[in-house]
Structures are given as C-alpha cells and as structure tokens.
Amino acid sequence: MKNKKLLMIIVDGVSDRSINNETPLSVAKTPNMDKIAAMGINGIMDTIAPGIRPGSDTGHLALLGYDPFKYYSGRGPIEAAGAGVKVNPGDIAFRVNFGTVEGGGSVFDKVVVDRRAGRISNTQSLIDAIAENVKLDVEFILAKGSGHRAALVLRGENLSDRITDTDPKIIGEKVKKCKALDKEAEKTAKIVNEFMEKAHKILEKHPLNKERESKGLFKANVLLLRGVGKVPHIPPFQEKYGMKLAVISGTTLIRGIGKILGGDLIEVEGMTGGKDTNIKGKIKAAINSLERYDFVLLHFKAPDEFGHDGDFEGKKKFIEKLDKEFDVLLNLDTSKVCLILTADHSTPIMAKEHTADPVPVVIVHEGVRIDEIKEFSEFEAFKGGLCRIRGLDLINIALDLIDRAKKFGA
Amino acid sequence: MKNKKLLMIIVDGVSDRSINNETPLSVAKTPNMDKIAAMGINGIMDTIAPGIRPGSDTGHLALLGYDPFKYYSGRGPIEAAGAGVKVNPGDIAFRVNFGTVEGGGSVFDKVVVDRRAGRISNTQSLIDAIAENVKLDVEFILAKGSGHRAALVLRGENLSDRITDTDPKIIGEKVKKCKALDKEAEKTAKIVNEFMEKAHKILEKHPLNKERESKGLFKANVLLLRGVGKVPHIPPFQEKYGMKLAVISGTTLIRGIGKILGGDLIEVEGMTGGKDTNIKGKIKAAINSLERYDFVLLHFKAPDEFGHDGDFEGKKKFIEKLDKEFDVLLNLDTSKVCLILTADHSTPIMAKEHTADPVPVVIVHEGVRIDEIKEFSEFEAFKGGLCRIRGLDLINIALDLIDRAKKFGA
C-alpha cells in the first residue's frame, strides 16, 4: 500500500506536572484517548531537548521535523504568516498591538496608557490609512490580526532583525525607540522609527480615533512592535518530505507555522483557537482532509490556556470534552493512516507557563509494536515501547512506519 | 583483569514489525538467546537514529563506532574492500556486474540483454585479459567477486565520485554513458567511459566468450558499473580503539567493512554468507578468535534475507536454528568477555526492506545492571535497563564496561 497518510493531533500544553500524583490528564476520564494508547506504541517525548522549554512555535517546528535552533528566528515572522502575509525569506516581521499613548511631542516622548487600545477590533480602516499614507525607503505590509493585534513586515535589501522592540510592555512607560544591536542594523532601526512616527501621525488624526475619543474610548493611536525576526530560508514541507501538508488550527501562531512551511490552512466553521472551539468540526475536517493531503496537523489550543490560568478543573474538563469527540478516530484504517497523539509541551497548572516536562506520545499504525500501555497519561506513557524520544525524531519514526523513509546505505 | 575482550554478534535484520502482536523473533523458541537476555542488560537501539533506515553497511559502521554520516561514501568502496582489493583513501570504487550486450557500434550504443551474463562465475580469465590489455591514464584494479560480480577501483590524482553509473539496471536499455555531476568530475567520467569501451572490446573477442556463444550461453561482454564512491579517510579500528579487530562474515559487504577498518577476516569452512552457512563453525571460530583479537564481530546474514523474502516461517526457523548453537555462548567467562547480541536493523516481513524500527540489544558482562528481561525479543527489550540507545553509543558503552574507556576530565 503506497501513499499512506499521517494525522498528527497536537493537544497544546495538555501534559502537566504532578500534584499529589495527579494531573488533569491522568484524572480526566478519557476512554477514547486510552483506547488510542492501547492501540499503539507509547512513550514520552522531549519536544526540543530535555529541559528545554518549548514555545508553541518552536515545539511545532520540531514536531514537523524542522530544527528550531536552525529555523526559528522569533515570533514575528510566524505571526505575520499566520495573519495572512505572504512572507519572503529576508523579510523583517513584528507582532503588533494597536495601543494608546498620551502626551506631546514625538511618538517616543509619549506614554503608553493602554497596550490594547481598549481591545479595539475594527482596525481595518486604520490599517488602510497607514498603508496609503506612510511612505518609507522600503516596502512594508501591515496586516490585521485578531482583535487589537496586527503584523508588520518590512521588505527590502539588507534589512536586519538585530534591533529592539518599540513596545515598552509596561503601562506608564514611554514608547521605546528602536535601537540597532549592531552596525549593520542601523538602517533598519532608522526605518522602524520613521514608521513609528509616521503611523502615529496618521492614526492620531484618523476619524475613527476622533469618534472613539468622543465616546470616551481609548484611541488606537500607536503601533507597538515586538517579537522581531527575519523570515528564515526554510525548505517547504512538500519539498522536504514529498508530502502535502494541511494545518487545522484556530491559533494564529500555529497557522503561521503551517503557512511558513508552505502548507494549506483548512478552515472550519466555529473554529476559534480557544476554549469554545468546534472540536467535532475540526476532527471531521481533519479526517476528510486525509483524502487530499498526506500530512494533516490538527491542533487544539485550550488545554494550554487552562494551564496558563492555573485551572486544574477547567483543563481536566476540556480534556474530557475533547476525548468525547475522539471516538471517530478509533475507526481510522490503521493500515492506511498513521495516527499520532501528543502535545507540543507541558503547561503545568503549578507553573502557569510552558515547561520542559516531557509529553506523552502514542503512534498508532499497522505494524507498530503495540505495548501494554492502556492509558494516555504522563504516568503511563514512559513505560511504553517508544521509551523516550525527541520531537525532531517523531516525524522520521512516522515516515519509516508509513514506508516513506529512504534507506541510508545498502 | 586487563585486556578484556568484546564479542559482538550481529544477526542481520533479525528484528521485525508486529503482525498480530507477533514477530518471528518473539515466537521463535530461543532458550539460549533468552538466557543471554536474562544474564544481561537489555534495551532497544536506533542503529543510526530514530526513523533513519540503515543499510547493512551504514548500520555496521555505526555499531563499530564510525558515524556513517561522516564516513560512508557509497557501497562501491566497501564491496571492493570485501572483494579483496586493498583500497586507499581517494580511490574511486564501483560494484561491477559482468553483463551481456547486443548490437553494433560503441559500447554505449548497445543494449543490455542480461545483467548477469547468464550468471557466469569463471570470470578470472576475463579479468586477467582486461588487466593486461586495457591502458588508462590512471591505475585501475578489477577484482573478482562472487559469481558474476566484480569490483573496479580507479586510483590516481584528483579523481571524483561525483559521477553516474553505467549500469542501466533495466534489461533492454542501452549501456549508460558515465556523466560528471560537476566540473571537477569530468576527467573521471572520461576515464570511466574509456574503460567501458576498452574493456568491452577485450571481452567481445575473448576466447571464453567465443566458447560461451557457441554453447548458446550469454557472453560476458560488458562491465556494468554502479554504487560509485570515493574511499574515505577512515581511522583504522586499532588506532581508534587500541583493539585488534576480527570479522567473521560470509557477506562481501560486511567483510568489506572489516577490511576498510583494518581488521582481519577470519575464514570458516562452510561459511557462505547465506541461509546454509556453517553456524556452529562460525561461533566456534569467534570464541577461538577471542584469544588473538580484542574485538570479534560475528555476523549472520540469513534473517535479513528471509525478511526481504517476506518469509515469516523461514525467518523464525532460522532464528531457532541459530539459537541452538548459541549454547556455547552461555559458558563464556563474563568477567573476561563482554558479549553483545543485537542486529544492524530490522527487516520486517511486512516491509520486505530494511526499516528503522529499533532493534533489541543485550549486553552481558560482569557488573552490568541485570534487569528483569528474560526474553530476547522486540516486545521485551525496551523494558530493560538500557532503555533506548543509539548504535554509535554501543561500542562506547561496551568499552566502558570492559574498562577500556578513558576518563574525560578529572
């Protein structure tokens, strides 16, 4: 059987540290995940390396077989790709917040009074005004993100990402001047500061802000830039693996990973990238996408959010809700599809942050050496037949199983 | 006790994927291998890296502590060494088949009608005629291999292996012209094409071929070259480890690995490199060789062949036959000899090809932390005290156990 497919389900931050020998995943009632564990070969996985705390971006890169130490260059490029900008290698990209500043003089003399401009979301007219009226020595693209978020891309010769943020990240502080961290970056820093000033002037006088002012709302009169990075030269997924990639995620960052690797984003009604997402719809879309794609990455964000909130019960309940919809996965033809269930990192309740605690992983496919593990949990996975693997190896192990690996040697 | 010895037994391709929770190794009755597992520390091993499918050549290099990504340069050099040519770093080596071509004009206008010249085996007079009569700008060595096989080595300044095969590999196609893959390789390609033409002329008019023609046999009138590689600069085993290496294998490729590392080949009556090899004789020779050598590599090829054939029963039965002769291994003095039993890769029945599924490995020596594993099989090994290791680490682990490792630091 040729052209076997791969379905990788990544439950963001699902695994945890132990609190009285319990974790949300271990105490949640997850009959379907447990059946998947029983059908496959289990283990634990260091997404990047033991003790290295992954971001969701670096974690996903590793799980897709891209060494983040080689290919990761900051969150900006990935967010920009996720926001729909067709980024090119060499572009400089930032995450952007619309914010509110007060005071006189240059934009850099003004003080940030709100970092989200009162959680404004109708920013398209502001973006259009900037696109039309700001002129720089290089091309720029400002793209709308969700809510008060946006992405900024600078495109031109000899640009550098060795520069600092303009977002002070603290209320009451002045907007920061972009500084060059080396000689070669001075031109880029100068362009960024020029952009900051010009954009601020356009925003300050924009009718939408006049209207917000009259209503007592925070004006969206500044763009706060952070997470700068240079878009890396990264081999497209299809070129690297000869497989068509689809990504199903409501999270801009993960969508950005998909785009930056040349994959397609599959849209699902009711997919939010949050706790209220359409679980059933996403799983259905993933299974359907196996017809047209060779590798489908299905991502669920919510457990990570509950982890960041330190909400044990919430995390546990979401896992149970997720599990209910996993029943359809039990019917996959495991001679044709390799199913992987894992996480990109732990987001423990007690840490409220990503940690490097290894994540459970199970691989289901015809021929895997099924072990005795009958439960998908941090306390069982390490006893399985995979032992302890690394994230970067996962896709190679799967490609071997679906006979898409090439022999090295004779 | 100084000068402890190492006996590494590599059962080629012995491990497998799971078919209904069974593998040939797991269902075979192997009381002796099981006793060895019980006497030692067990684990699973990625010969090269997780998900990387090893060749028998790259796999053995790794098990002997040579990183194949650094030292492997194609099958030609290893086959040539295995065929008895004393290769030097920088030599260009090919695997060669005597074949049969028909048609007029240059050798490259002719069509291959048999890739094995009717499985001719008495090729020595043909080889001698070529050696005597073909003159090139560089030195060449043509060495007889088994049956219709041979090896060709080109020796001279600035030769390159960035060239293509002349073997079309398909009956009915023309002999291929050797092409340079870059500018520096053009000289080598020209020499190869000149050799092809001159050798063909000698063979065409050779009395043995006149005789074969009159008997209606395929003439051995062409040399088909493939598997080109440049002999790497590779530190001899004795220099790298301070140990004298002996290799016991009937397989040209593995013999070549032994030669290329400067080891000695131990000959055994009835050793065939196949399913009918003299198992008892090889084991006896291995144990005897521990007197004169520090590291003895004992290789059995047959399980790999049964794997390539997809023959579950045959593989199982050969494993049982092998196991019967392993009884003498139980009497080794484990305070003086470190015994390792493992494989170079899996050759699963369902894949009929090498795969990257990790192989079981057991190390027996005084002082190892004996675990609870009582069976040498894919379903047990991973629960052992070695967990999951890499092939390149195996020899270092063994050298440490026999007190031949040096401390790094103070």
Side-chain angles (χ1 to χ4, degrees):
Chain A
M1 161 82 206
K2 273 203 168 178
N3 295 325
K4 296 180 190 178
K5 306 298 179 80
L6 238 164
L7 172 56
M8 188 185 282
I9 303 181
I10 301 181
V11 189
D12 205 308
V14 74
S15 68
D16 224 282
R17 287 184 177 164
S18 170
I19 302 174
N20 299 323
N21 297 320
E22 290 185 344
T23 66
L25 180 60
S26 77
V27 297
K29 288 196 181 60
T30 53
N32 291 318
M33 292 185 193
D34 294 348
K35 277 178 203 155
I36 291 170
M39 286 160 66
I41 185 166
N42 297 263
I44 53 173
M45 179 169 65
D46 301 289
T47 324
I48 296 177
I52 305 298
R53 291 187 166 188
S56 284
D57 42 15
T58 52
H60 274 76
L61 278 174
L63 296 179
L64 290 166
Y66 291 82
D67 184 351
F69 290 110
K70 187 168 173 189
Y71 293 112
Y72 184 68
S73 64
R75 188 157 171 172
I78 299 170
E79 290 276 350
V85 184
K86 219 194 144 307
V87 295
N88 295 335
D91 287 353
I92 304 299
F94 301 84
R95 305 177 69 194
V96 179
N97 270 12
F98 278 89
T100 312
V101 286
E102 278 179 9
S106 136
V107 67
F108 301 111
D109 295 323
K110 301 193 179 182
V111 162
V112 175
V113 294
D114 194 277
R115 282 187 65 250
R116 297 180 186 86
R119 292 197 177 268
I120 187 174
S121 66
N122 58 334
T123 57
Q124 194 57 55
S125 65
L126 302 175
I127 286 172
D128 293 344
I130 291 169
E132 230 168 275
N133 297 301
V134 173
K135 303 290 170 217
L136 299 174
D137 284 348
V138 297
E139 190 187 339
F140 76 90
I141 303 159
L142 184 63
K144 183 166 166 40
S146 62
H148 56 280
R149 298 180 198 90
L152 173 68
V153 171
L154 301 179
R155 182 170 293 163
E157 299 284 303
N158 302 317
L159 294 176
S160 169
D161 60 352
R162 299 276 301 139
I163 54 175
T164 61
D165 291 343
T166 64
D167 185 351
K169 287 175 194 153
I170 297 167
I171 299 287
E173 294 209 351
K174 283 186 187 169
V175 176
K176 284 184 157 175
K177 238 187 173 153
C178 174
K179 280 181 197 147
L181 297 173
D182 57 33
K183 191 95 187 142
E184 286 68 38
E186 283 173 5
K187 170 185 151 189
T188 314
K190 192 167 156 279
I191 291 169
V192 168
N193 289 327
E194 199 184 320
F195 175 80
M196 288 294 297
E197 201 75 79
K198 288 182 174 172
H200 171 58
K201 285 202 179 118
I202 303 288
L203 291 172
E204 189 62 46
K205 66 181 183 195
H206 193 281
L208 180 64
N209 275 326
K210 303 280 177 206
E211 188 192 320
R212 289 179 71 83
E213 196 168 25
S214 71
K215 287 181 179 167
L217 297 172
F218 281 117
K219 292 192 284 184
N221 61 358
V222 72
L223 296 175
L224 300 172
L225 313 183
R226 68 189 198 280
V228 66
K230 185 182 263 194
V231 178
H233 286 268
I234 192 162
F237 192 85
Q238 181 144 15
E239 198 175 278
K240 186 170 158 78
Y241 294 112
M243 297 174 91
K244 269 188 86 177
L245 169 69
V247 171
I248 302 177
S249 172
T251 307
T252 309
L253 194 64
I254 308 307
R255 294 167 70 87
I257 297 273
K259 291 307 288 179
I260 227 165
L261 299 182
D264 287 347
L265 302 177
I266 308 297
E267 302 302 340
V268 178
E269 214 186 302
M271 175 167 75
T272 64
K275 298 169 182 177
D276 58 345
T277 198
N278 176 2
I279 299 172
K280 194 193 275 284
K282 285 174 74 174
I283 296 175
K284 196 175 160 200
I287 294 174
N288 290 343
S289 297
L290 290 170
E291 295 285 329
R292 288 171 299 126
Y293 294 91
D294 305 300
F295 186 117
V296 177
L297 189 151
L298 173 60
H299 171 254
F300 293 99
K301 179 69 176 166
D304 175 63
E305 295 183 344
F306 285 109
H308 282 288
D309 297 344
D311 180 355
F312 190 108
E313 269 304 298
K315 192 169 176 180
K316 180 189 129 187
K317 280 191 181 141
F318 185 90
I319 294 168
E320 290 178 343
K321 195 170 136 193
L322 194 61
D323 185 79
K324 279 214 177 70
E325 308 300 341
F326 272 23
D327 55 349
V328 291
L329 297 169
L330 305 175
N331 302 324
L332 285 172
D333 181 347
T334 61
S335 72
K336 291 180 182 150
V337 177
C338 176
L339 171 67
I340 297 176
L341 175 60
T342 190
D344 51 350
H345 53 74
S346 298
T347 311
I349 302 302
M350 65 167 65
K352 295 186 183 176
E353 204 10 299
H354 302 185
T355 69
D357 299 271
V359 299
V361 54
V362 53
I363 305 176
V364 180
H365 188 61
E366 183 183 68
V368 297
R369 298 166 184 166
I370 296 169
D371 51 38
E372 288 153 36
I373 308 307
K374 309 262 183 258
E375 196 186 313
F376 186 69
S377 94
E378 302 90 339
F379 297 112
E380 292 297 317
F382 72 90
K383 302 175 197 162
L386 287 173
C387 301
R388 184 172 185 151
I389 62 171
R390 296 212 180 185
L392 213 47
D393 294 323
L394 180 63
I395 192 169
N396 288 331
I397 293 172
L399 292 181
D400 175 51
L401 286 168
I402 61 173
D403 296 327
R404 284 177 183 265
K406 285 202 191 80
K407 183 161 64 175
F408 171 46
Chain B
M1 160 85 207
K2 272 202 170 180
N3 294 326
K4 297 182 190 175
K5 306 299 179 80
L6 236 165
L7 172 55
M8 187 184 283
I9 303 181
I10 301 180
V11 189
D12 205 308
V14 75
S15 68
D16 225 279
R17 287 183 177 166
S18 170
I19 302 175
N20 299 323
N21 297 319
E22 291 186 344
T23 66
L25 180 60
S26 76
V27 297
K29 288 196 180 63
T30 54
N32 291 317
M33 292 185 194
D34 294 347
K35 276 177 203 154
I36 291 170
M39 287 160 66
I41 185 166
N42 296 264
I44 52 173
M45 180 170 63
D46 300 289
T47 323
I48 297 177
I52 305 297
R53 294 187 163 187
S56 284
D57 42 15
T58 53
H60 274 75
L61 279 173
L63 296 179
L64 290 164
Y66 292 83
D67 184 350
F69 289 109
K70 187 168 173 189
Y71 293 114
Y72 184 69
S73 65
R75 188 159 171 172
I78 300 170
E79 291 273 351
V85 182
K86 218 193 144 310
V87 294
N88 295 335
D91 286 354
I92 304 299
F94 301 85
R95 307 177 69 196
V96 179
N97 270 12
F98 278 89
T100 311
V101 286
E102 279 180 7
S106 136
V107 68
F108 301 111
D109 295 323
K110 301 190 179 182
V111 163
V112 175
V113 295
D114 195 277
R115 282 188 66 249
R116 297 179 185 87
R119 293 196 176 268
I120 188 173
S121 67
N122 59 333
T123 58
Q124 195 57 55
S125 65
L126 302 174
I127 286 172
D128 293 343
I130 290 169
E132 230 167 274
N133 297 299
V134 173
K135 303 292 168 213
L136 299 174
D137 286 347
V138 297
E139 191 187 339
F140 76 91
I141 304 160
L142 185 64
K144 186 171 165 30
S146 63
H148 57 279
R149 298 181 197 88
L152 173 68
V153 170
L154 301 179
R155 182 170 293 164
E157 298 284 302
N158 302 319
L159 294 177
S160 168
D161 62 351
R162 300 273 303 139
I163 55 175
T164 59
D165 292 342
T166 65
D167 185 349
K169 288 176 192 152
I170 297 167
I171 300 288
E173 294 210 350
K174 283 184 185 172
V175 177
K176 284 186 159 176
K177 241 189 172 152
C178 174
K179 280 182 197 146
L181 296 173
D182 57 33
K183 191 95 189 147
E184 288 66 38
E186 284 174 5
K187 171 185 149 188
T188 314
K190 194 167 154 278
I191 292 169
V192 169
N193 288 327
E194 199 183 320
F195 176 80
M196 288 294 297
E197 200 75 79
K198 288 180 174 172
H200 171 59
K201 283 200 180 119
I202 304 289
L203 292 172
E204 188 63 44
K205 65 184 183 194
H206 194 281
L208 180 63
N209 275 327
K210 302 282 176 205
E211 190 192 319
R212 289 179 70 84
E213 195 167 25
S214 71
K215 287 181 178 166
L217 297 171
F218 280 117
K219 293 192 282 183
N221 61 358
V222 72
L223 296 176
L224 300 172
L225 314 183
R226 67 188 198 280
V228 66
K230 185 181 262 194
V231 178
H233 286 269
I234 191 163
F237 192 84
Q238 181 143 15
E239 197 176 281
K240 186 170 161 77
Y241 294 112
M243 298 175 90
K244 267 187 85 177
L245 169 70
V247 171
I248 302 178
S249 171
T251 306
T252 309
L253 195 65
I254 307 307
R255 294 167 70 88
I257 297 273
K259 290 308 286 179
I260 228 165
L261 300 181
D264 287 346
L265 303 178
I266 308 296
E267 301 303 339
V268 177
E269 215 186 300
M271 176 168 72
T272 64
K275 298 170 183 177
D276 58 345
T277 198
N278 176 1
I279 298 172
K280 193 192 277 285
K282 286 173 74 175
I283 295 174
K284 195 174 161 200
I287 293 174
N288 290 342
S289 298
L290 290 169
E291 294 287 329
R292 289 170 298 125
Y293 294 91
D294 305 299
F295 186 115
V296 177
L297 187 151
L298 173 58
H299 171 252
F300 293 99
K301 179 69 178 168
D304 174 62
E305 295 183 346
F306 285 109
H308 282 289
D309 297 344
D311 180 355
F312 190 110
E313 268 305 297
K315 191 169 177 181
K316 180 190 130 186
K317 281 190 179 142
F318 186 90
I319 294 168
E320 290 178 343
K321 195 170 139 193
L322 194 62
D323 186 79
K324 279 215 177 71
E325 309 300 342
F326 273 22
D327 55 349
V328 292
L329 297 168
L330 304 176
N331 303 323
L332 285 172
D333 181 346
T334 61
S335 72
K336 292 179 181 151
V337 178
C338 175
L339 172 65
I340 296 176
L341 175 59
T342 189
D344 52 349
H345 53 74
S346 298
T347 311
I349 303 302
M350 67 168 65
K352 296 185 182 178
E353 203 13 296
H354 304 183
T355 69
D357 298 270
V359 299
V361 54
V362 52
I363 305 177
V364 180
H365 189 61
E366 185 182 68
V368 296
R369 301 167 186 166
I370 295 171
D371 50 39
E372 288 155 35
I373 308 306
K374 309 262 184 258
E375 196 187 315
F376 186 68
S377 95
E378 302 90 340
F379 297 111
E380 291 298 317
F382 71 89
K383 302 174 197 163
L386 288 174
C387 301
R388 184 172 188 152
I389 62 171
R390 295 211 181 188
L392 213 48
D393 295 324
L394 180 63
I395 192 168
N396 290 330
I397 292 172
L399 293 180
D400 176 50
L401 286 167
I402 62 173
D403 297 327
R404 285 178 181 265
K406 285 202 192 81
K407 183 160 63 177
F408 170 49

